[in-house]
């Protein structure tokens, strides 16, 4: 009863006219940030952080939080319509979402993304309220060895993302790992792989990489087919899902929600990894895995639910321990500090109005996002009627604006173009860009935790086996990699036997 009373107090705070306005502004900006390729919640929150100085602390945090989870909603729109991820967590949505659009099912793809996002956001909120203490205890048991083993598991799951060749998928992941090492070494502070370029000291930015691989490369591929056509030649189709769509997507949404909630709590997990792992899991569990990459609705429902659940559960360590699990919530932590709000366990006791007000506002914000996004689906699908000869310069413009707005460096535009050309070429040879992005994201975290674990164990690799949680992840990684490679090896043997 005490919990219900505190939550009721939170809704009183969240439903006040001022906080309702701040919540609406946050989710609206978040949706726009998600729709516009390349900008992302980090850039938006960084630009708006000074504007919150004149806002009461509760309203400021509610607005900034709305930008964060609102961007997860909006990020699927351009992924589905023009195969450009509006936000990094929507990279996987490009694979099947855009294929559905080309088949005349853009409305269904956008609808299931919105419904999955709302369901996941609601469940994540309930989990934040009820399961936070238990999940925090589990998260505190993770050290460098456990995080390293978790990253290894994520990298092994890349094998399941491959639509054709496991080896090609692993090669792309390896390239992503190497690219993630560019910049200053986090242990000894020495530059590496920078080729004496000052612009590379901070590493290669994720935004130009993603915009190049999924935006510019898509333009090049479409230009090969000529510009005298629309983006999608078939009809848009109805928005409401068929009974088959509901059956195929319902359990994907549930599984994606559960997976995203757990991974969102862990530092290094987050929405990006959750969406990749959810896609891999759905493809593995499917009785018809060959449909993935060709317009499988589960490939949209699962990852979209996962990234939104991860966005919600990421608030657990931030609000209760004062530990931001990702860069976006690190900005939110900075906003709390600027407003002199106590962070960590004391927030609940010293500022219960802010804590429970923000929690309640997340549900209010999810309802606002559903109301905002569902009516706009018809507007978004109208984009498909724009001739590609007109649309592709606009896409390129949005990519350039997004990349430049993130860093303010012309060099990143060159990086985007380079990855665009590279993504276009490797796609012609049957390689996929998604494993490269996952390897690029996981690479630095994997390396840092690996080196920390070895330093703490004085160079003993047995630390990964002696610790139960890391041993479990290592064993799971070995099993996954073996099950992915054995069928490929057997197929090669049969080909050699036939040729012989």
């Amino acid at each position: 009863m005490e919990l219900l009373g505190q939550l009721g107090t939170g809704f009183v705070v969240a439903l006040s006219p001022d906080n309702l306005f701040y919540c609406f502004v946050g989710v609206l900006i978040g949706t726009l940030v998600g729709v516009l390729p390349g900008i992302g919640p980090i850039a938006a929150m960084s630009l708006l952080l000074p504007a919150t100085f004149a806002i009461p602390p509760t309203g400021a945090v509610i607005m900034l939080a709305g930008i964060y989870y609102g961007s997860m909603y909006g990020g699927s729109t351009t992924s589905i319509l023009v195969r450009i991820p509006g936000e990094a967590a929507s990279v996987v949505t490009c694979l099947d979402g855009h294929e559905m659009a080309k088949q005349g099912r853009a409305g269904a793809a956008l609808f299931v993304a919105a419904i999955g996002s709302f369901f996941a956001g609601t469940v994540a909120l309930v989990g934040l309220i009820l399961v936070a203490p238990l999940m925090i205890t589990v998260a505190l048991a993770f050290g460098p060895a456990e995080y390293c083993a978790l990253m290894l598991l994520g990298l092994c799951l890349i094998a399941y993302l491959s639509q054709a060749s496991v080896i090609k998928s692993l090669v792309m992941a390896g390239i992503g790992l190497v690219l993630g090492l560019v910049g200053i070494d986090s242990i000894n502070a020495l530059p590496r792989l920078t080729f004496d370029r000052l612009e590379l000291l901070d590493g290669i930015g994720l935004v130009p990489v993603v915009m190049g691989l999924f935006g510019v490369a898509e333009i090049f591929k479409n230009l090969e087919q000529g510009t005298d056509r629309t983006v999608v030649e078939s009809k848009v189709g109805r928005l409401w899902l068929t009974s088959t769509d509901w059956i195929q997507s319902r359990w994907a949404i549930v599984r994606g929600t559960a997976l995203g909630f757990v991974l969102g709590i862990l530092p290094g997990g987050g929405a990006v990894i959750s969406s990749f792992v959810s896609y891999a899991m759905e493809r593995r569990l499917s009785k018809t895995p060959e449909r993935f990459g060709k317009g499988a609705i589960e490939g949209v429902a699962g990852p979209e639910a996962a990234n939104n659940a991860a966005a919600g559960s990421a608030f657990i360590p931030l609000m209760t321990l004062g530990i931001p699990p990702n860069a976006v919530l690190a900005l939110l932590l900075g906003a709390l500090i600027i407003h002199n709000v106590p962070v960590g366990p004391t927030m609940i006791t010293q500022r219960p109005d802010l804590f429970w007000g923000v929690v309640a506002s997340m549900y209010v914000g999810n309802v606002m996002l559903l109301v905002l996004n569902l009516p706009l689906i018809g507007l978004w699908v109208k984009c498909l009627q724009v001739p590609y000869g007109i649309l592709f310069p606009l896409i390129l413009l949005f990519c350039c604006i997004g990349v430049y707005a993130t860093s303010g460096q012309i060099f990143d535009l060159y990086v985007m173009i380079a990855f665009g050309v590279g993504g276009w070429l490797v796609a012609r040879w049957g390689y996929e860009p998604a494993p490269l992005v996952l390897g690029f994201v996981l690479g630095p975290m994997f390396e840092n935790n690996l080196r920390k674990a070895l330093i703490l164990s004085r160079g003993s690799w047995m630390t990964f086996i002696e610790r139960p949680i890391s041993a479990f992840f290592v064993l799971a990684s070995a099993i996954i990699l073996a099950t992915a490679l054995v069928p490929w090896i057997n197929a090669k043997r049969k080909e050699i036997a036939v040729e012989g």
Side-chain angles (χ1 to χ4, degrees):
M1 294 300 294
E2 181 182 357
L3 181 63
L4 292 176
Q6 292 170 330
L7 188 58
T9 302
F11 274 104
V12 171
V13 173
L15 293 175
S16 67
D18 289 347
N19 289 333
L20 272 177
F21 173 74
Y22 295 134
C23 184
F24 176 77
V25 170
V27 297
L28 179 62
I29 294 175
T31 301
L32 294 175
V33 164
V35 170
L36 296 175
I39 297 178
I42 296 180
M45 291 173 67
S46 300
L47 292 172
L48 290 175
L49 187 58
T52 65
F53 295 166
I55 300 175
T58 302
V61 176
I62 285 175
M63 186 178 74
L64 292 175
I67 294 174
Y68 175 47
Y69 57 79
S71 66
M72 298 301 165
Y73 263 79
S76 61
T77 302
T78 48
S79 294
I80 292 169
L81 297 184
V82 289
R83 205 173 184 265
I84 300 176
E87 212 278 326
S90 299
V91 167
V92 180
T93 308
C94 295
L95 301 179
D96 285 278
H98 189 60
E99 290 299 320
M100 289 182 66
K102 291 197 291 186
Q103 296 166 14
R105 305 183 65 211
L110 289 168
F111 186 86
V112 78
I115 293 298
S117 298
F118 176 75
F119 176 82
T122 303
V123 172
L125 174 62
V126 174
L128 191 156
I129 297 169
L130 299 177
V131 195
L134 174 62
M135 299 306 295
I136 290 170
T137 302
V138 174
L140 288 174
F142 275 61
E146 285 77 13
Y147 284 122
C148 178
L150 177 62
M151 300 301 127
L152 178 64
L153 179 62
L155 290 170
C156 289
L157 282 170
I158 291 175
Y160 290 133
L161 289 174
S162 173
Q163 301 298 323
S165 170
V166 174
I167 296 300
K168 288 181 177 180
S169 183
L170 292 175
V171 167
M172 292 297 285
I175 294 174
L177 284 171
V178 174
L179 293 173
L181 299 179
V182 175
I184 298 293
D185 190 310
S186 61
I187 302 296
N188 56 32
L190 294 176
R192 57 186 181 183
L193 301 176
T194 59
F195 304 100
D196 296 326
R197 296 286 305 193
L198 294 177
E199 298 91 344
L200 292 176
L201 289 178
D202 289 333
I204 300 174
L206 177 62
V207 171
V209 171
V210 171
M211 290 299 101
L213 290 175
F214 290 91
V216 179
E218 185 70 12
I219 291 174
F220 288 149
K221 285 190 287 185
N222 281 284
L223 285 177
E224 286 186 303
Q225 304 173 28
T227 59
D228 296 330
R229 63 184 187 87
T230 58
V231 179
V232 176
E233 296 174 354
S234 57
K235 295 180 180 179
V236 169
R238 63 180 184 176
L239 304 183
W240 191 252
L241 302 181
T242 64
S243 58
T244 303
D245 290 336
W246 281 114
I247 293 172
Q248 291 176 337
S249 60
R250 60 185 180 182
W251 288 114
I253 292 174
V254 172
R255 286 189 293 264
T257 300
L259 182 69
F261 181 82
V262 174
L263 292 181
I265 296 174
L266 304 174
V272 179
I273 297 175
S274 299
S275 60
F276 275 93
V277 175
S278 173
Y279 186 87
M281 181 173 65
E282 292 305 320
R283 186 169 182 267
R284 175 53 51 179
L285 294 177
S286 176
K287 295 180 180 179
T288 55
E290 64 278 1
R291 294 189 303 110
F292 282 74
K294 300 176 182 178
I297 196 168
E298 308 98 296
V300 177
E304 283 300 311
N307 68 44
N308 280 273
S313 65
F315 282 85
I316 293 176
L318 175 70
M319 303 285 278
T320 56
L321 292 177
I323 301 174
N326 56 53
V328 182
L329 291 187
L331 284 174
L332 192 56
L333 176 62
L336 290 170
I337 295 173
I338 290 171
H339 285 277
N340 294 318
V341 175
V343 293
T346 58
M347 180 190 292
I348 301 177
T349 56
Q350 296 184 21
R351 291 299 304 271
D353 59 324
L354 188 146
F355 179 86
W356 292 106
V358 171
V359 170
S361 75
M362 292 172 66
Y363 182 76
V364 175
N366 271 284
V367 174
M368 287 182 177
L369 284 166
L370 190 65
V371 173
L372 278 173
N373 280 273
L374 287 181
L376 289 176
I377 287 178
L379 175 63
W380 299 131
V381 296
K382 291 293 184 181
C383 297
L384 298 175
Q385 300 174 3
V386 178
Y388 200 80
I390 297 175
L391 188 60
F392 93 81
L394 297 176
I395 295 173
L396 187 60
L397 175 64
F398 280 128
C399 289
C400 292
I401 292 174
V403 169
Y404 186 76
T406 302
S407 64
Q409 294 186 7
I410 297 295
F411 180 79
D412 280 352
L413 296 178
Y414 300 146
V415 172
M416 180 189 73
I417 297 298
F419 275 93
V421 175
W424 168 59
L425 291 176
V426 298
R428 299 184 68 180
W429 298 328
Y431 290 83
E432 299 174 4
L436 186 150
V437 175
L438 184 56
F440 182 75
V441 171
L442 286 181
M445 295 183 288
F446 176 75
E447 184 213 9
N448 288 338
N449 285 290
L450 173 64
R451 294 172 71 176
K452 289 176 183 177
L454 292 176
I455 290 172
L456 292 173
S457 65
R458 298 183 179 181
S460 174
W461 290 87
M462 290 302 295
T463 186
F464 299 102
I465 306 299
E466 293 169 349
R467 302 173 69 93
I469 298 177
S470 63
F472 171 77
F473 286 140
V474 170
L475 178 61
S477 302
I479 294 173
I480 288 173
L481 196 59
T483 54
L485 288 176
V486 168
W488 180 82
I489 294 173
N490 290 335
K492 288 297 181 181
R493 285 179 176 176
K494 290 180 180 179
E495 290 180 8
I496 294 173
V498 171
E499 292 175 359

